[in-house]
Amino acid sequence: MQNFYFIGIDVSKKKLDICVMSKSKVLKEEQVSNHPQAIATVIAGIKEELSMSNDSFIICAEHTGQYTYPLICASKSVGCKLWLENASQIKYCSGLTRGKNDKVDARRIAEYAMRFLDKVKPYNRPTEELMRLKQLEAERSLYLTDLSKYKAQLSDQEGYMEDKIFKRKAKRLKEMIKSLEKTLKEIAAEMAEVIDSSEELSRQMLLLKSVEGVGPVVAMNMIIATEAFTRFDNPRQFNCYVGVAPFAYTSGSSQHSRNRVSHRAVKYLKCLLHMAAVSVAHKKTGDLKTYFERKVAEGKNKMTILNAVRAKLVARMFAVIRNNRVYQPILSV
């Protein structure tokens, strides 16, 4: 039987540490610059040295955002399987550890891949449209943070410095605000162009915005986070991912704790869903408004009810995509 090899890679900004293991033995360790061509050359060299075919090994690495991009490109060019795993998952499955360096981390990642091969999830690179949307949304969020900061300075600083000094500062701030607002409009237009260029993405945007409380920003971020609704099998999985799904916390004699959500969450998505839930809860009419008021009348905690509304919004968004039709309001919730 042909040996199966596990390549653990620790990714950092400038370099990658590589560890090749088979049958619990370390066969090779080396370091390479974080560049697609250099990574592809090293992988090809390892394949030739150990006489590996693309079906006899898997590369496992922590998903560290944009720093994994060169590795993704290199794996695609070589044609090998890539497994990008959550860093926390690897950390908590590695047992008690002492000390930390990149070489040791690469070995731990290879050991993780060897132990949990049955849970492998080969990475499928999103479409170019989705990649571009993700990059534009990250840039948009960065400028929005700066814009709110400058606006706060403009409104909060008046009265706490000399008028002459404040007027000069206000003039500079207004110029910055005007420039940022112009940039944000350009980004929004570019994102709209990307969506319009894809029939699938434009259809999903239309379906998602038919759900009450879901606007363009929420719809856009849902498409990006779910990779056009291909990353998660059902709403429950997504709710766990964003920190909306409640879990029981009971042990031994402690059986009276309330179910609560986990702090391990994608906070920006959770925040967007919360704002959507608040908006529908404060509308004059609507089935979710009726649901919110009924639960409040029953004495339920308002934050618990809002969390349930968030979950309902997610379920409805998944439903319209699954059924491929706009949302039809229901009479009762």
Side-chain angles (χ1 to χ4, degrees):
M1 181 179 176
Q2 187 182 26
N3 290 338
F4 196 84
Y5 300 87
F6 302 89
I7 302 179
I9 298 183
D10 182 73
V11 180
S12 60
K13 183 177 181 179
K14 295 184 178 180
K15 63 181 178 64
L16 272 62
D17 283 86
I18 300 174
C19 176
V20 184
M21 295 186 71
S22 181
K23 296 181 179 179
S24 301
K25 293 183 179 179
V26 176
L27 304 179
K28 190 176 182 63
E29 291 179 316
E30 65 179 279
Q31 193 176 92
V32 62
S33 62
N34 195 3
H35 186 275
Q37 188 175 354
I39 299 169
T41 301
V42 168
I43 294 174
I46 293 172
K47 284 177 61 179
E48 183 178 355
E49 181 180 342
L50 300 177
S51 301
M52 298 188 303
S53 66
N54 284 341
D55 294 327
S56 65
F57 75 98
I58 188 168
I59 296 173
C60 184
E62 295 176 348
H63 203 318
T64 55
Q66 64 182 358
Y67 295 153
T68 58
Y69 180 74
L71 176 60
I72 292 169
C73 296
S75 299
K76 183 179 179 181
S77 67
V78 174
C80 59
K81 293 189 287 291
L82 175 62
W83 178 11
L84 294 181
E85 183 59 279
N86 185 289
S88 296
Q89 182 74 15
I90 296 175
K91 176 182 177 181
Y92 289 112
C93 288
S94 298
L96 294 174
T97 58
R98 290 175 174 81
K100 176 177 171 55
N101 62 60
D102 296 338
K103 185 177 179 180
V104 171
D105 285 345
R107 186 180 301 182
R108 288 172 181 167
I109 293 169
E111 290 172 348
Y112 173 86
M114 195 183 326
R115 289 175 58 199
F116 299 100
L117 182 60
D118 58 320
K119 297 183 178 180
V120 63
K121 298 176 183 177
Y123 178 77
N124 293 316
R125 185 180 176 183
T127 63
E128 293 298 326
E129 291 86 359
L130 277 172
M131 293 287 287
R132 186 64 187 133
L133 277 180
K134 188 173 183 179
Q135 293 165 351
L136 287 169
E137 178 59 27
E139 187 180 357
R140 191 187 75 91
S141 298
L142 178 68
Y143 296 146
L144 277 174
T145 301
D146 288 341
L147 182 62
S148 62
K149 180 173 62 178
Y150 295 142
K151 284 184 175 179
Q153 285 280 312
L154 192 60
S155 59
D156 294 346
Q157 297 297 307
E158 189 175 9
Y160 296 95
M161 61 179 67
E162 294 180 18
D163 289 342
K164 187 177 181 180
I165 297 175
F166 176 76
K167 285 179 180 178
R168 291 176 180 172
K169 181 177 181 179
K171 182 181 178 181
R172 292 189 292 269
L173 285 171
K174 287 176 181 177
E175 289 175 355
M176 291 292 293
I177 290 170
K178 185 178 180 180
S179 176
L180 283 172
E181 287 176 341
K182 180 183 177 182
T183 302
L184 286 168
K185 287 180 180 178
E186 292 173 354
I187 292 174
E190 191 172 343
M191 293 177 83
E193 287 178 8
V194 173
I195 291 173
D196 291 340
S197 67
S198 169
E199 183 179 347
E200 176 68 12
L201 295 182
S202 58
R203 180 184 62 83
Q204 288 194 359
M205 279 291 289
L206 179 66
L207 294 173
L208 291 173
K209 289 193 291 184
S210 70
V211 178
E212 182 185 14
V214 177
V217 175
V218 174
M220 181 81 68
N221 279 276
M222 284 293 294
I223 290 172
I224 293 170
T226 61
E227 294 179 2
F229 289 84
T230 61
R231 186 178 174 189
F232 301 93
D233 295 329
N234 53 65
R236 174 70 181 184
Q237 287 183 359
F238 181 80
N239 285 338
C240 293
Y241 174 69
V242 297
V244 171
F247 292 91
Y249 288 82
T250 60
S251 178
S253 60
S254 302
Q255 299 293 321
H256 305 291
S257 175
R258 292 187 305 173
N259 292 356
R260 58 184 187 270
V261 297
S262 173
H263 289 294
R264 290 175 186 164
V266 182
K267 297 297 176 65
Y268 80 95
L269 279 173
K270 188 175 181 179
C271 180
L272 287 174
L273 289 171
H274 180 75
M275 289 189 289
V278 170
S279 71
V280 297
H282 285 82
K283 284 190 173 182
K284 293 183 179 180
T285 58
D287 50 357
L288 289 177
K289 168 70 172 180
T290 304
Y291 169 82
F292 180 81
E293 290 181 338
R294 186 174 77 245
K295 291 299 180 181
V296 170
E298 291 174 5
K300 301 288 185 180
N301 180 277
K302 287 187 177 181
M303 282 303 298
T304 302
I305 304 170
L306 283 174
N307 191 67
V309 173
R310 287 187 293 209
K312 287 180 180 292
L313 287 172
V314 171
R316 292 178 180 187
M317 285 187 277
F318 270 78
V320 295
I321 299 297
R322 182 180 65 248
N323 298 329
N324 194 24
R325 64 181 184 184
V326 297
Y327 178 71
Q328 300 294 327
I330 54 180
L331 298 177
S332 58
V333 182

